[in-house]
């Protein structure tokens, strides 16, 4: 890793570093249409099953372990 580049980045204002971080992160996150379509199909399947009464919903608080 380029040590000079790291030093330059660390001298930047926090807001500018955050913008740079978002740009770098965005360059790493490449959408995959095939995976997105699989997840969409699965979500649709689950929604139809729920609406048809084939499955029962679980309250979010219970799933996340919140005390009620």
């Amino acid at each position: 890793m380029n040590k000079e580049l790291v030093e330059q980045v660390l001298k930047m204002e926090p807001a500018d570093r955050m913008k740079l971080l978002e740009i770098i992160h965005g360059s790493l996150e490449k959408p995959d249409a095939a995976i997105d379509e699989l997840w969409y199909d699965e979500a649709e399947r689950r929604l139809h099953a729920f609406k048809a009464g084939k499955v029962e919903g679980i309250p979010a608080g219970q799933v996340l372990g919140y005390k009620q």
Side-chain angles (χ1 to χ4, degrees), residues 56-66 68:
E56 192 175 310
I58 302 171
Q62 185 179 341
V63 172
L64 299 173
Y66 297 142
Q68 297 181 11

Side-chain angles (χ1 to χ4, degrees), residues 2 5-7 11 14 16-18 20 22 24 33-36 40-41 53 55 59 62 64-65 67:
N2 184 325
L5 178 59
V6 172
E7 290 173 4
K11 289 179 185 175
D16 291 333
R17 288 198 319 256
M18 182 57 90
L20 179 60
E22 290 172 359
I24 292 169
I35 292 174
D36 290 344
Y40 178 82
D41 291 345
V55 295
Q62 185 179 341
L64 299 173
K67 296 185 183 205

Side-chain angles (χ1 to χ4, degrees), residues 20-58:
L20 179 60
L21 176 62
E22 290 172 359
I23 291 168
I24 292 169
H25 183 260
S27 74
L28 297 172
E29 292 248 329
K30 300 292 183 203
D32 185 326
I35 292 174
D36 290 344
E37 188 164 341
L38 288 171
W39 275 115
Y40 178 82
D41 291 345
E42 178 64 16
E44 284 290 310
R45 185 187 67 74
R46 291 180 186 194
L47 178 61
H48 290 299
F50 176 76
K51 286 183 174 181
K54 294 179 181 177
V55 295
E56 192 175 310
I58 302 171

Side-chain angles (χ1 to χ4, degrees), residues 3-15:
K3 198 172 191 175
E4 290 177 27
L5 178 59
V6 172
E7 290 173 4
Q8 284 181 307
V9 169
L10 293 176
K11 289 179 185 175
M12 295 169 64
E13 293 294 320

